[in-house]
Every structure is written in structure tokens, then in C-alpha cells.
Amino acid sequence: MPDFTVLTDQTELADYLRHKATYPLFAKPVYADVGSGGYGIEAYEAANDYLLLTNGERLPVTQFGNELTRKRKYMVTERGYLFQDFIRQNAEITKRCSLSVCSVRLILLVDAEGPKPFRAIWRIATGTSMTDNFNKGDAGNLIAAVDLASGEITRVVNGYGLNQSELSHHPNTGEALVGFRLPFWREGVDLCCQAARVFPMLHMQHWDLAFTDHGPILIEVNSLGSIDMIQYATGYGVHDAAVRAVLDQYGVKDRFGRLVVWPWSHWKGSRR
């Protein structure tokens, strides 16, 4: 089992950041959504007791500790924080976008034959954002549709609804996004499909993965991801024949045959 340290108060946190942490690292709330409260930390500057963040900002260690306890939207502060290794993404992606990890959300449909790729989008960090979350355009980041077969970016948008617009290049780097092919794409899809077999009772899996210079790396799996985000990126809905087939087989229905709950498990699906 990997070594880990439990920090119980601000004094222990400050000591960890000053003397024990291995940089760079990423800090995120244990219980949060849409990337709220995430921090990329590049280094500790002992001369002035500052933390250098990945967006170029500098925060005193004590101020950073206070930030972790500040109430904010989309997170429960009392659940604590997780400090983990910082992912160094593929150099070509960093060149086109930013140092912040720009991850892929890959949706898999899982039936009796196993996992099948359904849709994929690429979340693109902009400006000084330390996370790539889209959050209906409020974060200022971009999302892109990804061709499942090749990993090629086919469409990039920012905003949503009447405020949505399409782009072809990154607004900060000026690098082309549309037409770019994500590195190690086939390996990334295969990795997600292999991991999906660990959760056979989860029939719609939303995997987040990043790409390093050495290949893909899994970040997490969501049981019910942002379906709206997939539709914003591609420009069309998700209720197609493939989804209808899974709903028909595993969805929970009332006595009138109407779908009432999305299928999370065979156990629920068997109670039709």
C-alpha cells in the first residue's frame, strides 16, 4: 500500500508544505464538483515562505491554508483536501494549450458484450485556470469534440446556449486545435475499456484520462457525468440507438413501461 500522510490541522499542513511535500503537486477537495477548489502547486519558495502556483500566482503558506477552509460553491470544505502527484501532460498538448492538464472525457456503454466507446470530448484549459473544467462555460475554458476512431479534434467551442461560439485556435497560445490529433489516442481508449471491466454493473461510464509523454493515464471514472457537456461539444444529442438499447435492457421502468431511473446496476435493472 502506498505511503500517505494524514494532516489534521493548519500547523501540520504548513509543516508538510514547507518540509515534506514533493513538488509539483495538485490539491483538490475530497468532496467537490466542476473543479472547484483545485490548485496546481509548482514549488515552495523558502526564502519568502510562498507557494508558486502553476498559473504563476504566489501565495504565502498560511494564506494558502486559509484558502482551503474558505466556503465556496460546488464543494464541501469540511470533507478536507487531497494532495496528489501533479500530472505532467504531453509536451505537444502543453505547447498548444497550457501547463494545466487538459483531460479527455470518454463515455463508455457497457452491456453483456463488454464496454464500447460512445462519445469523447477534450477539455481545454485557458488563461490562468488551474483546472480544465467547463462548467457550462463559466470557467472560461473550452471543450472539443473528439473523433473516436482517430482522436482528431473536430469542433471546439466556448460558452453555451446563445453565448456559444466556435473556435479553431487556442485563444492564448494561438496554436491550432481543430485538426490536432491527441497523442496515444488508441492506447487511451484501450486503457479505459480495460478499466471499465472492473465495473460491469455500471452501464454508462464517464472516464477522465490525460496524456503524458509516455502514454495515457487514468484520472477517475464518474457514474453520471455531464451529459450536457458532451452535447455542447458535439452539437447534437446523445439519445441515439446505442443509448436506447442500453436503456431498454437495463433501465428501471414503472408499471406503465416508462423509464424512471438511469441504470447504475444489474440489481436495479432486474427490478423492472
Side-chain angles (χ1 to χ4, degrees):
M1 185 173 181
D3 292 334
F4 64 91
T5 301
V6 177
L7 309 173
T8 60
D9 56 34
Q10 293 280 6
T11 300
E12 291 183 0
L13 172 62
D15 180 67
Y16 169 77
L17 293 172
R18 289 170 177 142
H19 307 296
K20 301 173 183 177
T22 300
Y23 297 97
L25 54 79
F26 190 78
K28 67 178 183 180
V30 171
Y31 194 96
D33 199 6
V34 299
S36 179
Y39 292 91
I41 309 175
E42 186 70 32
Y44 169 64
E45 298 178 345
N48 50 25
D49 199 34
Y50 273 37
L51 294 174
L52 174 62
L53 306 184
T54 53
N55 65 356
E57 295 181 19
R58 285 176 166 79
L59 283 180
V61 169
T62 53
Q63 181 180 339
F64 177 77
N66 292 332
E67 282 291 308
L68 301 193
T69 61
R70 178 169 60 86
K71 301 285 186 181
R72 67 187 81 186
K73 194 175 181 181
Y74 300 119
M75 62 176 284
V76 180
T77 306
E78 293 79 7
R79 298 291 180 89
Y81 260 76
L82 175 67
F83 291 83
Q84 59 189 39
D85 292 339
F86 186 86
I87 297 174
R88 288 293 190 188
Q89 69 183 352
N90 182 270
E92 185 60 32
I93 296 177
T94 296
K95 172 189 171 185
R96 290 176 183 272
C97 304
S98 71
L99 182 64
S100 297
V101 173
C102 300
S103 64
V104 162
R105 168 68 57 85
L106 176 64
I107 299 180
L108 303 176
L109 299 179
V110 183
D111 58 18
E113 297 178 356
K116 300 177 180 66
F118 173 61
R119 299 278 173 85
I121 64 166
W122 186 32
R123 294 177 293 201
I124 305 168
T126 65
T128 59
S129 177
M130 289 182 284
T131 66
D132 60 2
N133 291 80
F134 184 65
N135 192 21
K136 295 182 173 62
D138 290 346
N141 295 327
L142 315 177
I143 50 174
V146 184
D147 178 72
L148 279 176
S150 65
E152 181 174 328
I153 306 306
T154 59
R155 183 174 185 257
V156 180
V157 300
N158 62 2
Y160 83 112
L162 296 177
N163 295 320
Q164 186 180 88
S165 60
E166 293 190 29
L167 302 86
S168 60
H169 291 67
H170 195 282
N172 303 122
T173 67
E175 295 282 342
L177 298 175
V178 174
F180 172 60
R181 292 198 175 194
L182 292 166
F184 300 106
W185 176 250
R186 190 68 256 166
E187 293 89 339
V189 173
D190 291 345
L191 180 61
C192 288
C193 288
Q194 291 172 19
R197 296 183 182 277
V198 178
F199 310 101
M201 292 169 31
L202 190 61
H203 299 293
M204 192 175 198
Q205 302 184 16
H206 303 244
W207 284 91
D208 291 343
L209 70 155
F211 298 94
T212 72
D213 287 335
H214 307 290
I217 183 171
L218 296 178
I219 298 175
E220 65 181 13
V221 61
N222 298 273
S223 60
L224 193 61
S226 301
I227 293 294
D228 56 347
M229 183 170 60
I230 303 297
Q231 296 174 99
Y232 296 147
T234 61
Y236 54 90
V238 298
H239 193 216
D240 63 6
V243 167
R244 286 195 295 272
V246 171
L247 288 172
D248 183 62
Q249 184 173 2
Y250 302 108
V252 178
K253 297 178 181 178
D254 63 16
R255 62 193 181 94
F256 301 106
R258 297 173 301 195
L259 185 72
V260 293
V261 180
W262 178 255
W264 285 289
S265 69
H266 283 295
W267 178 78
K268 290 183 178 179
S270 66
R271 300 175 62 195
R272 291 192 290 180

